[in-house]
Amino acid sequence: MADTIFSSFETVKYEGPSSEKALAYRWYDADRVVLGKPLKDHLRFAVAYWHSLAMQGGDPFGGPTIQRPWFAAGDPIAQAKVKADAAFELFRVVGLPFFCFHDADIAPGGETLAETLKNFHIMVDYLEEKLSKYSTKLLWGTANLFSHPRFMAGASTNPDPEVFAWCAATVKNCMDATKRLGGSNYVLWGGREGYETLLNTNMKQELDQMGRFLTLVVEYKHKIGFDGQILIEPKPKEPTAHQYDFDVATVYGFLKRYGLEKEVKVNIEANHALLAGHTFEHEIALAAAHGILGSLDVNRGDALLGWDTDQFPNELWSLTLSMYHVIKAGGLKQGGCNFDAKVRRQSFTPEDLIHAHVGGADICARAFLTAAKLIEDGRYDAILEQRYAGWKSPEAAAILEGKVSLDQIEAMALKNGINPQPRSGKQEQIENLLARLIYSDTL
Ligand code: XLS
Ligand code: NI
Ligand code: NI
């Protein structure tokens, strides 16, 4: 096997909470059985190819800070193979079971569509070979329909039908590749699906284009017998002021509008939730309520900055509540937890990337264990149950079942002489209960 910048690192192991070793898992005990199955099957962690292998550390004020052998000049396909060799070694080192990629992360673009697809196919073959030699699997594939200038006015929402066609051809190939590589999901993040100014935008036309595109994707999924989930990743604000897939609620409305709510779910990203003015747990709970919870991009933002900083997660409170709602929704199933997170531009060593993933997986595992404990403990669920207990009465249940009309409810209310009394929402009591569990070291 080719030597890579990660080859000298041992695979990071679980050593338990008391371990002092920096590169060891303290909470992520992959084989520990919780709620009936191993932690690794609940969390299904994935490394993001773009942030870990393709990102060079540039920001609006400065160029690349991250030097990797595959960024040096050379034959682009040969370099893409060096990158893939390193990628699979990184997956081995961090010991996480999945990865995710965009077409543009794994293969260089070409001058034409045909050349771009040719490069892509060469690299998909190469990845297929890698997958046969390593235990890593593919969580999801996706297409980068936002970086190249051809997408500046949109991908499927572009005023130019040739761009729509380019995107259709690209997504078709990415779906074929995802199926071939055994992927569990196919993700669509509409990076350029939005607008900068309404002055040059026909919003209805663009939404209809996006609806048609997604319908084509769903039809093609069935045509090729891909049994993975199709997922939309909501995000507000970035890159355009008005993103069409703003948040879970907006995406659900869009899916309903185009009759796709049974076919498409969501990939929810923590920092996108915050940018939309929500919390991660809000977005997860809402997706679960609509039956469209698909997968998670776990990361964090910086409250002081307010853009998509894509940092590795390290905050326990919100993550624990997020995991609680995941468990309550029946788990992530074919989805997983993708580290859509990047190291900071000063963290340019290969070792920095390993520390990042170790910390990320540990905090998520700890959050999951705490959420499972919270559920087993039962006191929190009992408070919630109690709060809504009134709806269990036959009269109240009949209302929800649509068996009574507005005037019948009025008659019932008068007959019963109802006189509703205020009741405590018990917020502080719940917060204290959660705090004791979340910050306890015995899990
Ligand atoms: C960008 C998105 C992107 C998607 C995949 O903000 O999070 O990384 O996850 O295209
Ligand atoms: Ni993001
Ligand atoms: Ni993402």
Side-chain angles (χ1 to χ4, degrees), residues 51 189 233 235 238 269 271-272 297 299 308 310 340:
H51 284 318
W189 170 57
E233 184 174 321
K235 180 178 181 181
E238 239 187 41
E269 179 164 320
N271 195 37
H272 296 180
D297 271 7
N299 62 8
D308 199 11
D310 285 332
D340 195 351

Side-chain angles (χ1 to χ4, degrees), residues 395 406-420:
E395 275 186 347
L406 205 62
D407 45 329
Q408 284 171 322
I409 297 176
E410 182 211 23
M412 220 155 65
L414 291 170
K415 184 173 139 256
N416 293 346
I418 60 166
N419 184 19

Side-chain angles (χ1 to χ4, degrees), residues 171-225:
V171 169
K172 179 222 171 261
N173 279 274
C174 286
M175 288 173 75
D176 288 340
T178 301
K179 178 176 185 254
R180 199 171 125 207
L181 300 177
S184 301
N185 308 272
Y186 186 81
V187 168
L188 297 123
W189 170 57
R192 299 284 169 192
E193 312 294 37
Y195 64 87
E196 278 159 359
T197 171
L198 196 53
L199 295 175
N200 63 13
T201 303
N202 180 339
M203 202 178 339
K204 171 150 184 4
Q205 164 79 25
E206 295 202 357
L207 289 172
D208 284 346
Q209 287 177 209
M210 202 163 86
R212 182 93 290 272
F213 194 85
L214 192 58
T215 304
L216 289 167
V217 166
V218 167
E219 284 169 3
Y220 191 67
K221 165 194 153 137
H222 293 301
K223 186 171 180 178
I224 61 173

Side-chain angles (χ1 to χ4, degrees), residues 89-110:
E89 274 298 287
L90 171 64
F91 307 156
R92 173 193 64 74
V93 172
V94 294
L96 302 180
F98 292 93
F99 77 105
C100 302
F101 74 95
H102 300 81
D103 52 350
D105 307 328
I106 63 161

Side-chain angles (χ1 to χ4, degrees), residues 284-312:
I284 293 170
L286 184 60
H290 287 324
I292 58 165
L293 175 61
S295 198
L296 303 180
D297 271 7
V298 283
N299 62 8
R300 78 176 203 273
D302 185 322
L304 302 178
L305 293 179
W307 66 81
D308 199 11
T309 58
D310 285 332
Q311 287 161 259
F312 279 80

Side-chain angles (χ1 to χ4, degrees), residues 51-336:
H51 284 318
S52 292
L53 285 312
M55 196 271 302
Q56 295 183 257
D59 72 8
F61 308 96
T65 60
I66 296 176
Q67 317 292 339
R68 304 284 190 231
W70 53 92
F71 295 142
D75 166 37
I77 291 286
Q79 292 296 63
K81 289 182 177 172
V82 173
K83 192 197 314 186
D85 291 341
F88 277 79
E89 274 298 287
L90 171 64
F91 307 156
R92 173 193 64 74
V93 172
V94 294
L96 302 180
F98 292 93
F99 77 105
C100 302
F101 74 95
H102 300 81
D103 52 350
D105 307 328
I106 63 161
E111 290 296 318
T112 60
L113 177 63
E115 201 188 313
T116 304
L117 293 176
K118 187 173 159 234
N119 290 349
F120 180 61
H121 292 145
I122 294 171
M123 288 311 299
V124 171
D125 288 347
Y126 197 71
L127 253 54
E128 190 173 42
E129 201 184 309
K130 287 269 153 205
L131 284 165
S132 72
K133 296 192 181 122
Y134 286 80
S135 61
T136 317
K137 294 190 172 64
L138 177 61
L139 184 66
W140 48 263
T142 188
N144 179 329
L145 303 177
F146 43 90
S147 294
H148 193 279
R150 79 173 64 83
F151 307 120
M152 72 169 107
S156 71
T157 61
N158 203 292
D160 180 353
E162 286 199 0
V163 177
F164 184 103
W166 183 293
C167 296
T170 302
V171 169
K172 179 222 171 261
N173 279 274
C174 286
M175 288 173 75
D176 288 340
T178 301
K179 178 176 185 254
R180 199 171 125 207
L181 300 177
S184 301
N185 308 272
Y186 186 81
V187 168
L188 297 123
W189 170 57
R192 299 284 169 192
E193 312 294 37
Y195 64 87
E196 278 159 359
T197 171
L198 196 53
L199 295 175
N200 63 13
T201 303
N202 180 339
M203 202 178 339
K204 171 150 184 4
Q205 164 79 25
E206 295 202 357
L207 289 172
D208 284 346
Q209 287 177 209
M210 202 163 86
R212 182 93 290 272
F213 194 85
L214 192 58
T215 304
L216 289 167
V217 166
V218 167
E219 284 169 3
Y220 191 67
K221 165 194 153 137
H222 293 301
K223 186 171 180 178
I224 61 173
F226 173 54
D227 58 12
Q229 309 182 109
I230 304 290
L231 306 175
I232 288 194
E233 184 174 321
K235 180 178 181 181
K237 293 184 184 174
E238 239 187 41
T240 69
H242 303 274
Q243 292 288 121
Y244 291 139
D245 295 326
F246 191 91
D247 59 2
V248 169
T250 311
V251 168
Y252 187 69
F254 172 79
L255 294 177
K256 283 290 267 189
R257 166 73 179 86
Y258 294 97
L260 296 167
E261 74 276 11
K262 301 258 184 301
E263 296 279 0
V264 179
K265 295 187 165 147
V266 282
N267 180 43
I268 302 172
E269 179 164 320
N271 195 37
H272 296 180
L274 294 185
L275 295 176
H278 303 304
T279 58
F280 198 19
E281 60 268 32
H282 165 94
E283 290 290 80
I284 293 170
L286 184 60
H290 287 324
I292 58 165
L293 175 61
S295 198
L296 303 180
D297 271 7
V298 283
N299 62 8
R300 78 176 203 273
D302 185 322
L304 302 178
L305 293 179
W307 66 81
D308 199 11
T309 58
D310 285 332
Q311 287 161 259
F312 279 80
N314 69 357
E315 195 272 319
L316 212 43
W317 183 274
S318 172
L319 258 185
T320 305
L321 294 179
S322 300
M323 293 299 176
Y324 169 84
H325 287 285
V326 163
I327 298 171
K328 283 284 168 184
L332 291 171
K333 305 190 178 84
Q334 295 182 67

Side-chain angles (χ1 to χ4, degrees), residues 363-410:
I363 203 85
C364 291
R366 182 167 172 168
F368 188 91
L369 291 169
T370 309
K373 200 171 160 189
L374 180 63
I375 289 167
E376 278 161 3
D377 174 274
R379 280 175 291 173
Y380 172 50
D381 282 341
I383 295 173
L384 270 181
E385 174 101 11
Q386 172 64 33
R387 188 161 152 87
Y388 293 90
W391 284 97
K392 293 254 162 67
S393 80
E395 275 186 347
I399 296 176
L400 280 190
E401 285 158 12
K403 290 180 180 154
V404 286
S405 61
L406 205 62
D407 45 329
Q408 284 171 322
I409 297 176
E410 182 211 23

